[in-house]
Amino acid sequence: MDRVIVAGGGLAGVRAVEALRSKGYEGELTLISAERHKPYDRPPLSKAVLAGEVDDTTVDADWDGLRCELLLGERATALRLDAGRGGTVETTAGDRPFDGLVIATGATPITLPGDGPQHVLRTLDDSRRLRAGLTAGARVVIVGAGWIGAEVATTAAKKGCEVTVIEAADAPLANAVGPQVGGLTARWYAEAGIDLRTGVKVAAVEHGRLLLADGDHVAADEIVVGVGVRPEVGWLAGSGLEIEGGVVTDASLRTGRPEIVAVGDCAAWWSERYGRRLLVEHWDTALNAPDVAAATLLGQEASYDAAPYFWSEQFGKMVQYAGYHPVAERMVFRGDPAADKWAVCWLTGDRLDAILTVDRPRDLVQARRIIAAGTPVDPEAVADPGVPVRQAVKT
Ligand SMILES: Cc1cc2nc3c(=O)[nH]c(=O)nc-3n(C[C@H](O)[C@H](O)[C@H](O)COP(=O)(O)OP(=O)(O)OC[C@H]3O[C@@H](n4cnc5c(N)ncnc54)[C@H](O)[C@@H]3O)c2cc1C
């Protein structure tokens, strides 16, 4: 293999470039990214960048040292595969042949119907544009009380905006962690002076207002849509690669073709740990999975079997989650969820499947290790906030 293309210049793309070089790949290496900015970190876009505290989150990478050609502002538009091995990435600038390909094109926010202006938050430019509209007194209406919606609401309220959050489900974060746990965060909105309206569906974005499904309207100076993302895989249509949500891979992050791997928010990878395909849109996956993708591309044995992890900073709280609760049989609280600091654990028998912590970072760190190792725990000890999580391990 002597001509590798990395398609997508997000964190996963950068880490793939670094991993290929650190694992001894010596051939040509090209990173193609639709954005005109050098690869940067996205989590601050809804936090410090939006708040105006930081404006540059460029990922620290030595492009010359990595001997990587960086093609910015160039979009992959199609993939043509040769019979056997290799192929061509068609881009807005021409044809780029390869004999190894890393697909790392991330995800794109879902927008709502209607011809009124709506903000989404995925890129640095999105964040800067929205930041300009978050002036004191501005009526900011956010559609979606998920992770991004909660973080934007936090920042907008801090800037003195009049914030309304509209959520179709019966509780914030319901899709992510279920209505019972998500519902516990509703009071954070009230405490921040935010008008949270759950169980309300939006039909369309009009000019300066939202049209709700029941015919009512909500007026707004700025409308922010945070209702989820779709893997950015449209350019692969007709290529012959299997797409099911994201780009389908095995546990080694290999697609149906041995010289093509997929990683990050665009990849639907097979998790041996959970016996199912996962599409994980978290920073930690974009950071760590490329190491496996690069090894696979270079013909080395590797598989990605991490338990998911992410964090969110909302309403002055650090919310962290590790594991995968949909596989769990039951849920126990660790501490009083009406208090400032608490956690919830999901268990199956004596197996800890997942944990969500609110301002309890030590619990998270200890539980994450236990979840990764699959070490059995004493469920009663796990539910006792006075017992360190690591001491809940069964001896
Ligand atoms: C506002 C925001 C806040 C977040 N906060 C957190 C957080 O607090 N905690 C957490 O765990 N995760 C968070 N995330 C998620 C995390 O940032 C993502 O999981 C991570 O960025 C995924 O990296 P990626 O490289 O797979 O994709 P991306 O970062 O989306 O990068 C993909 C790149 O590919 C480019 N591209 C797309 N299509 C093409 C194409 N056809 N041709 C060429 N280039 C293309 C895109 O322009 C983009 O630059 C946040 C995400 C956002 C947007």
Side-chain angles (χ1 to χ4, degrees):
M1 195 173 289
D2 51 24
R3 195 151 42 166
V4 172
I5 289 179
V6 176
L11 182 63
V14 181
R15 292 297 172 226
V17 166
E18 291 178 336
L20 282 162
R21 287 297 186 218
S22 71
K23 291 181 188 303
Y25 173 67
E26 286 295 330
E28 278 179 34
L29 190 49
T30 303
L31 183 138
I32 300 173
S33 185
E35 286 185 74
R36 63 189 171 87
H37 302 290
K38 277 192 176 166
Y40 57 87
D41 242 350
R42 290 181 207 280
L45 300 183
S46 49
K47 309 173 183 79
V49 173
L50 198 58
E53 294 155 9
V54 168
D55 198 48
D56 181 3
T57 66
T58 308
V59 175
D60 191 18
D62 173 10
W63 295 104
D64 291 337
L66 288 165
R67 288 167 291 127
C68 179
E69 184 187 19
L70 207 50
L71 300 176
L72 300 178
E74 183 168 331
R75 178 174 287 275
T77 51
L79 174 65
R80 262 188 352 252
L81 296 180
D82 296 341
R85 280 179 89 94
T88 303
V89 175
E90 293 176 20
T91 79
T92 42
D95 280 0
R96 310 252 175 224
F98 66 86
D99 55 20
L101 174 65
V102 179
I103 300 172
T105 41
T108 307
I110 295 167
T111 52
L112 292 178
D115 56 7
Q118 50 184 297
H119 290 277
V120 291
L121 189 47
R122 185 73 193 178
T123 67
L124 183 56
D125 295 341
D126 292 340
S127 183
R128 287 175 176 164
R129 255 190 311 268
L130 175 57
R131 184 172 71 195
L134 299 186
T135 50
R139 293 165 306 169
V140 176
V141 179
I142 300 165
V143 185
W147 303 111
I148 298 283
E151 293 191 347
V152 173
T154 300
T155 306
K158 241 200 278 177
K159 289 190 149 201
C161 304
E162 198 185 293
V163 185
T164 303
V165 177
I166 297 184
E167 167 58 53
D170 291 334
L173 299 177
N175 292 339
V177 293
Q180 190 184 350
V181 175
L184 295 167
T185 70
R187 75 179 165 90
W188 301 347
Y189 289 75
E191 286 162 7
I194 294 167
D195 179 10
L196 170 68
R197 304 187 197 170
T198 54
V200 176
K201 291 197 175 60
V202 173
V205 179
E206 300 177 344
H207 285 267
R209 62 184 196 173
L210 283 175
L211 169 65
L212 304 182
D214 65 5
D216 271 0
H217 287 97
V218 180
D221 298 310
E222 304 292 341
I223 293 171
V224 188
V225 175
V227 296
V229 294
R230 277 198 197 98
E232 182 61 54
V233 293
W235 67 281
L236 299 167
S239 66
L241 292 186
E242 192 185 349
I243 308 289
E244 211 181 291
V247 183
V248 171
T249 78
D250 63 14
S252 302
L253 306 178
R254 189 189 291 114
T255 66
R257 295 270 293 217
E259 78 282 26
I260 304 180
V261 292
V263 71
D265 282 13
C266 68
W269 48 279
W270 180 258
S271 164
E272 290 292 350
R273 176 185 292 270
Y274 300 114
R276 62 186 72 185
R277 215 167 284 298
L278 294 185
L279 228 167
V280 176
E281 295 140 0
H282 301 154
W283 185 89
D284 184 71
T285 311
L287 180 76
N288 292 309
D291 208 54
V292 170
T296 299
L297 205 57
L298 300 176
Q300 301 161 10
E301 278 297 309
S303 66
Y304 188 67
D305 202 21
Y309 163 75
F310 72 86
W311 79 97
S312 170
E313 295 161 40
Q314 45 182 281
F315 308 105
K317 298 170 186 3
M318 175 59 95
V319 180
Q320 291 167 288
Y321 175 100
Y324 186 65
H325 71 274
V327 296
E329 273 174 1
R330 66 200 180 93
M331 193 174 89
V332 293
F333 282 100
R334 183 174 158 80
D336 178 3
D340 286 342
K341 300 178 182 192
W342 51 275
V344 57
C345 298
W346 286 268
L347 296 142
T348 301
D350 60 5
R351 185 186 70 205
L352 183 58
D353 292 312
I355 187 167
L356 178 140
T357 61
V358 178
D359 281 339
R360 291 187 71 101
R362 202 168 294 161
D363 283 2
L364 190 286
V365 170
Q366 295 176 9
R368 198 177 170 193
R369 278 196 208 114
I370 292 169
I371 292 166
T375 323
V377 292
D378 173 355
E380 267 180 40
V382 159
D384 182 348
V387 177
V389 176
R390 66 182 144 74
Q391 283 178 20
V393 165
K394 273 190 177 166
T395 45

